[in-house]
Amino acid sequence: MSNRMSHSAAAETVLLYFVLPLWLLAGFADYLCHRASRIETTSGYKETPLHLLMLIELAIPLLAAIFFEINALIIAAMIVGFVTHQLTALWDTTFASHKRSITPIEQQVHSFLELMPLMAMVIVIILNWPQFLSLWGLGSGPARYELALKREPLPWTYVAAFLFAVLLFEVLPYMEEFVRGLRSRKRA
């Protein structure tokens, strides 16, 4: 028996333990860039809702992929979430660039925030290629559009740790940024 990991297991490991954590770190780094630039005194209370919107646009397909079997419906949700996230990111950057300085470091962080969800989606598509093809009517089997809980769920310790990290490094910081922006607006 070989000690080699299957390609599918390797891809899933890369997704769970490299891509998703790096994505979370990039989100937190973006928050730190906003904090360093004192976003609350410039575009804060108007810009931060766009950040929260982008979080929601990707959270929905991400949570679906964590808890449900990957099929054409989940892949379609990922594609829609990614495209809407990209459009909102463009809206956000266009709005912010007129209100505040976006440093080269923040721009680099944005590159990660745009590429990590694409990388995650591509890995999921590779792991579920027949359903991706069937989404476009090209597969040998039918596209499945039902929500079914995973037959082999991710380890609950991973899911709990990941969701806690999302709360700690994404949701709470951006909520704090929003509150900081509102307080600054009231003072002004």
Side-chain angles (χ1 to χ4, degrees):
M1 177 161 208
S2 172
N3 288 337
R4 293 181 56 194
M5 183 183 282
S6 74
H7 289 103
S8 294
E12 185 175 301
T13 301
V14 167
L15 175 63
L16 296 177
Y17 298 100
F18 177 72
V19 174
L20 293 180
L22 186 57
W23 187 4
L24 287 178
L25 288 174
F28 189 66
D30 192 43
Y31 162 78
L32 293 176
C33 288
H34 298 164
R35 192 161 178 82
S37 72
R38 299 191 38 84
I39 192 174
E40 70 274 9
T41 63
T42 56
S43 60
Y45 80 95
K46 288 184 178 178
E47 184 180 355
T48 302
L50 294 173
H51 302 154
L52 293 169
L53 177 61
M54 286 185 279
L55 183 63
I56 291 166
E57 289 166 349
L58 291 178
I60 292 168
L62 181 60
L63 289 171
I66 288 172
F67 292 108
F68 297 110
E69 287 291 328
I70 305 295
N71 59 27
L73 175 65
I74 303 302
I75 293 170
M78 289 177 154
I79 293 168
V80 168
F82 177 75
V83 169
T84 57
H85 177 268
Q86 290 301 105
L87 292 172
T88 305
L90 179 60
W91 177 19
D92 172 43
T93 305
T94 302
F95 172 78
S97 66
H98 298 307
K99 306 279 186 194
R100 66 182 181 85
S101 172
I102 302 173
T103 66
I105 291 174
E106 185 177 347
Q107 291 173 30
Q108 191 66 34
V109 167
H110 288 172
S111 296
F112 276 84
L113 288 172
E114 292 170 6
L115 290 177
M116 290 297 101
L118 177 62
M119 186 180 288
M121 183 175 63
V122 167
I123 292 171
V124 169
I125 287 170
I126 289 169
L127 291 171
N128 298 278
W129 189 248
Q131 279 299 293
F132 176 72
L133 289 177
S134 69
L135 178 63
W136 310 105
L138 302 172
S140 57
R144 295 189 322 272
Y145 295 101
E146 69 279 350
L147 286 177
L149 290 174
K150 284 189 179 291
R151 287 182 295 259
E152 295 179 32
L154 296 173
W156 71 268
T157 51
Y158 176 86
V159 173
F162 179 75
L163 294 177
F164 179 74
V166 168
L167 179 66
L168 189 63
F169 293 108
E170 306 301 324
V171 176
L172 293 176
Y174 283 101
M175 293 303 296
E176 185 274 337
E177 178 179 288
F178 183 67
V179 169
R180 203 167 11 100
L182 287 177
R183 285 183 182 158
S184 180
R185 179 179 178 221
K186 287 180 183 177
R187 275 185 250 132

